[in-house]
Amino acid sequence: MTSAPAAPAAPASPRPVRRSGALPTARARRRYLVVLTALAVLSVLVVLGNLAWDNPMPFGSAGFWRIAELRATNVVVVILVAFCQALATVAFQTVTNNRIITPSIMGFESLYRVIQTGAVFFLGVAGVTLVQGVWQFVLQVVLMVGFAALLYGWLLSGRYGNLQLMLLVGIVLGGGLGALSAFMQRMLTPTEFDVLTARLIGSVANADASHLAVSVPLAAVAGGTLWAGSRRLNVLALGREASLNLGVNHRRETIAVLLLISVLMAVSTSLTGPMTFFGFLVAMLAYQLADTHDHRCVFPVAWLTGIVVLGGAYFVLKNVFYAAGSVGVVIEIVGGTFFLVHLLRKGRL
């Protein structure tokens, strides 16, 4: 008796395509595109809202565009500061291999406070005006970048140089500069102190339109160089030993990245004043939203997130609470709260 012929085997189901990279699956790529598109739309809405909201002139009229042009300076400042803080903080956290610190701990903001306080201390109320010109702005940026270059060159080029020592020295110097500015502030008259306080609070209103001619090119060159070197930042994120094994001069690349970061932070701080936790807030949200380590994907998300956060805060405070000058205070409170929550969730530094 012959046996029945065996049934043909079912065709094997195709194996899913496996790939490596920042966004390894189709779902991850779709999610990233959705997040990026949503942030881009929100950024456009924030920009249009700051330009057109509560404009008393009819839309499209000459008066409408004249008022929008006056508001455009603040919008450009928001976009520029978000760009500087986002790229600088993400890159700084990469080279230091620490997601809970910001470049502000290196003393940039303390140096800014000393410069502003010293001008009022030695020159009186008129000192605030004397440090607001274009050349004075350039001098502040040069002093901050020079301060950073000396610090990095001294602590990272030596035989025993390391990032941990650099961070500690930066914190100590920042504390010393902060104490010096606090001492000078105590010697001021109430009128001088009141005028100075407005400059020491991070605010979009602190920016001078004449400074943008210098700020935009500096930020574009420094930020563009960081963005173009995203692949090297990906390698630096692996650590010193892995970077050396992959043929990257870790010390040289680290110093170069830190100098570019110092330019971005100097431009941002000199333009609007101190915003210590803004960069941390933007970087933390960007990593959560992008869900990848690749800087080519993190940088645009961080920049757009910064525009939404800073521009949205400025819009709400200006049009709802009529306190546009308090943007820095609100950013510090919200950013500091997120910092504490993030730190407590991790349970370690």
Side-chain angles (χ1 to χ4, degrees), residues 34 67 135 144 152 280:
V34 169
I67 294 175
W135 290 110
M144 292 182 186
Y152 302 151
F280 166 79

Side-chain angles (χ1 to χ4, degrees), residues 152-212:
Y152 302 151
W154 171 43
L155 296 176
L156 294 181
S157 298
R159 179 179 179 183
Y160 301 104
N162 59 75
L163 285 169
Q164 289 73 25
L165 179 62
M166 182 199 71
L167 295 176
L168 289 174
V169 172
I171 293 172
V172 171
L173 290 177
L177 293 174
L180 176 61
S181 62
F183 171 76
M184 289 190 290
Q185 289 170 22
R186 289 181 177 272
M187 306 293 288
L188 300 177
T189 65
T191 302
E192 291 172 341
F193 182 78
D194 185 56
V195 172
L196 175 65
T197 301
R199 296 292 304 172
L200 297 183
I201 298 176
S203 174
V204 176
N206 285 342
D208 189 335
S210 62
H211 297 168
L212 294 176

Side-chain angles (χ1 to χ4, degrees), residues 104-117:
S104 300
I105 69 173
M106 298 307 298
F108 294 105
E109 296 178 354
S110 298
L111 183 58
Y112 171 85
R113 290 189 176 96
V114 167
I115 293 173
Q116 297 292 326
T117 305

Side-chain angles (χ1 to χ4, degrees), residues 5 24 75 113 120 147 161 171 193 197 205 209 211 213 248 271 278 331 339:
V75 172
R113 290 189 176 96
V120 177
F147 171 78
I171 293 172
F193 182 78
T197 301
H211 297 168
V248 174
L271 197 61
F278 176 58
I331 292 292
F339 175 82

Side-chain angles (χ1 to χ4, degrees), residues 138-154:
V138 173
L139 180 60
Q140 287 188 72
V141 173
V142 170
L143 286 175
M144 292 182 186
V145 175
F147 171 78
L150 289 174
L151 186 64
Y152 302 151
W154 171 43

